[in-house]
Amino acid sequence: MSDRVVALTDGPPIMLRRVRRDVARLAAWLAMQPGHNWVLASEHPYDFLVSLLAVWHAGKQVTVPASLQPGAVREATAQADGLLDGLGTWQSSTDTATDMDAVLRPFNAERSLLDLFTSGSSGAPKRIRKSAAQLEREIVVLESCWGGRREPVFATVPHHHIYGLLFRLLWPLASGRPFDTLMCTAPEFLLARLDAHGPGQVVSSPSQLNRMPDLIDLQVLQGKATRFYSSGGPLNPTAAGCFQRILGTAPVEIFGSTETGGVAWREQRDGDDSWTPLPGVQIARSAAGALVLCSPFIDDDAPYETNDAATLLDDGRFRIHGRLDRIVKIEEKRLSLSELEARLVEHPWVREAAAIVLSEGRQIVATVVALNDDGQLALEQLGRAALGKRLRTHLRQWFDAVLLPRRWRYPDVLPYNERGKLAADDLAAMFETTETQRE
């Protein structure tokens, strides 16, 4: 097999020959270890990729913690046989090993397992088991939809969740695209990496793309960022419109989850927020209004009912109207928190919004709102109380008074975690101080 660049670094690139050598050596080391289930907690994406492939080549099983925070790693390791948190440990014991490329054999993709965890909005993370075969099938579909170009892949998201693992590491590796080992934590850093190694495609998230038009002039990305991907939640239509207008195309949004894998995609244009199922994914709607899937990326052949409220369109596409499990009752009245958030974002002062229910003797709605520039100016001029009343007046067009938010927070950005999710605990923590607005 001819050599090629697999990964970009802040130094010399990593070539395919080195990948094969490192995987073979680690697989040989793992084969001599007694443990079967190995936790992967490597912060460096190249180390993580090598460890994943080596565990599978050694005929063993992988567990990826819910996060790479020490507590999450400890919890995962307590239920496993070993920990791989970098290449240094095993390399130090195999420095004299010879090149093992010749003994690297294909692994059984159906039997090579990977345990991931959901990043649910509340409660303990749920363990989800995937096989390498499922991931391979998804990679084939992604390549059929957006393949053809061999540009490098840059990322603003971590590699240790299903979206980052597929889009940042495995799909680039399988399709011959180099991936950048550095995570671009700010638009200026992304621009510098594109200047140095681009043009290229960018794997990102709604929380980052929603803010990008306010942080840099998107025009500087023209000809450098050829495509943006986004997953983890809906992209703000205003932000999508900025990318469409300035760069000629909106980001490709991927709808899916750890449980389901990829489900559908869209590029928001002219207010069209409908989703197109990925090839091989069949959709239906349950009696309760939930989206139902049959997918090659799910273990069970039986239909999988999601918690997403959906409307099916005549052309085979569908629309999502929030989570059914985010329907709450406030004083016996039903409220969709997703709908309330969407209505808030329609206000000309609001960039993003998140709603939760707090128990303070009785249940009340509390809302965290990230304001745009006009909203920040209004906050300075009107004050917190008057701004909250304006937003409540806006919401009163659709919601009964008892359902309107009674507490507010106005941070610069919403408290997204490293996976681009909003955890209920993080939102609730914002109301534990006295700096809240009560109506």
Side-chain angles (χ1 to χ4, degrees):
M1 181 181 296
S2 61
D3 213 7
R4 62 174 174 86
V5 175
V6 169
L8 304 172
T9 72
D10 53 1
I14 297 174
M15 308 301 290
L16 180 61
R17 185 176 299 277
R18 175 182 164 186
V19 178
R20 291 177 57 83
R21 181 199 67 201
D22 287 347
V23 171
R25 293 176 64 190
L26 179 53
W29 182 82
L30 285 166
M32 296 185 292
Q33 308 306 310
H36 179 73
N37 188 347
W38 288 79
V39 172
L40 266 59
S42 302
E43 294 187 1
H44 194 283
Y46 175 72
D47 292 0
F48 188 96
L49 178 64
V50 167
S51 298
L52 172 65
L53 297 176
V55 172
W56 283 342
H57 276 286
K60 303 194 177 188
Q61 180 180 325
V62 172
T63 294
V64 179
S67 76
L68 297 187
Q69 297 301 314
V73 174
R74 282 196 303 272
E75 288 181 2
T77 306
Q79 304 177 49
D81 301 309
L83 170 66
L84 291 171
D85 56 3
L87 300 186
T89 301
W90 70 270
Q91 282 180 333
S92 64
S93 63
T94 59
D95 285 340
T96 59
T98 59
D99 191 330
M100 294 184 175
D101 281 2
V103 300
L104 190 60
R105 296 287 184 264
F107 53 80
N108 186 316
E110 295 289 351
R111 297 180 181 177
S112 299
L113 302 178
L114 166 69
D115 282 357
L116 296 158
F117 292 86
T118 62
S119 55
S121 58
S122 63
K126 179 183 177 182
R127 186 184 293 261
I128 304 296
R129 177 157 293 176
K130 296 284 184 179
S131 70
Q134 287 174 298
L135 300 179
E136 285 180 347
R137 289 194 287 270
E138 190 159 356
I139 288 169
V140 170
V141 167
L142 296 178
E143 182 68 9
S144 72
C145 292
W146 299 288
R149 306 178 71 145
R150 294 295 175 263
E151 301 161 332
V153 174
F154 303 87
T156 70
V157 298
H159 56 273
H160 51 83
H161 52 71
I162 187 67
Y163 171 53
L165 176 62
L166 279 170
F167 278 73
R168 186 179 176 186
L169 298 184
L170 295 181
W171 181 21
L173 178 68
S175 60
R177 298 174 177 88
F179 65 85
D180 193 11
T181 59
L182 304 185
M183 190 166 76
C184 300
T185 53
E188 296 80 5
F189 190 14
L190 172 62
L191 182 59
R193 296 301 288 174
L194 288 167
D195 282 337
H197 301 286
Q201 304 183 46
V202 182
V203 179
S204 192
S205 70
S207 60
Q208 293 155 325
L209 295 179
N210 284 338
R211 298 181 62 217
M212 195 172 290
D214 296 329
L215 298 177
I216 62 170
D217 180 1
L218 294 183
Q219 188 64 47
V220 301
L221 297 172
Q222 187 72 46
K224 298 175 182 178
T226 58
R227 181 181 289 133
F228 281 90
Y229 298 98
S230 179
S231 188
L235 184 61
N236 187 300
T238 301
C242 286
F243 281 88
Q244 172 70 41
R245 184 177 66 258
I246 297 173
L247 299 181
T249 181
V252 175
E253 297 178 70
I254 306 298
F255 174 68
S257 67
T258 306
E259 296 95 329
T260 63
V263 172
W265 68 276
R266 71 179 180 186
E267 291 181 37
Q268 295 188 61
R269 297 178 182 176
D270 303 322
D272 184 0
D273 62 353
S274 57
W275 296 90
T276 299
L278 290 169
V281 177
Q282 299 176 353
I283 61 170
R285 188 173 182 267
S286 73
L291 183 69
V292 179
L293 311 172
C294 286
S295 170
F297 317 137
I298 302 175
D299 244 351
D300 197 342
D301 291 335
Y304 180 93
E305 183 169 339
T306 73
N307 280 313
D308 299 292
T311 298
L312 305 187
L313 305 179
D314 293 339
D315 61 3
R317 298 183 297 166
F318 63 92
R319 287 195 172 94
I320 291 294
H321 309 289
R323 300 276 293 179
L324 290 171
D325 55 4
R326 299 194 73 219
I327 303 294
V328 298
K329 276 194 173 182
I330 305 293
E331 298 189 15
E332 305 308 316
K333 292 184 179 291
R334 287 167 60 87
L335 170 67
S336 166
L337 296 178
S338 297
E339 182 186 359
L340 187 141
E341 293 165 351
R343 295 301 187 185
L344 270 174
V345 171
E346 291 176 2
H347 192 282
W349 293 345
V350 176
R351 185 175 69 239
E352 292 183 276
I356 59 170
V357 173
L358 300 178
S359 295
E360 298 184 344
R362 62 189 179 101
Q363 288 193 314
I364 64 169
V365 179
T367 311
V368 181
V369 176
L371 301 168
N372 57 26
D373 290 342
D374 290 339
Q376 290 290 350
L377 181 61
L379 177 61
E380 295 171 5
Q381 294 177 341
L382 299 175
R384 302 170 65 85
L387 177 62
K389 289 179 180 178
R390 293 284 188 94
L391 296 178
R392 282 168 60 89
T393 298
H394 167 74
L395 291 173
R396 200 171 281 123
Q397 300 175 74
W398 301 283
F399 303 99
D400 290 343
V402 71
L403 301 178
L404 299 178
R406 298 180 61 83
R407 300 187 69 185
W408 302 82
R409 286 288 275 165
Y410 303 108
D412 291 337
V413 295
L414 299 190
Y416 290 98
N417 61 23
E418 61 184 5
R419 299 187 182 198
K421 302 286 187 178
L422 290 170
D425 289 347
D426 293 337
L427 292 170
M430 301 188 74
F431 294 91
E432 293 175 358
T433 70
T434 59
E435 301 176 19
T436 55
Q437 176 61 48
R438 187 189 298 270
E439 294 294 331

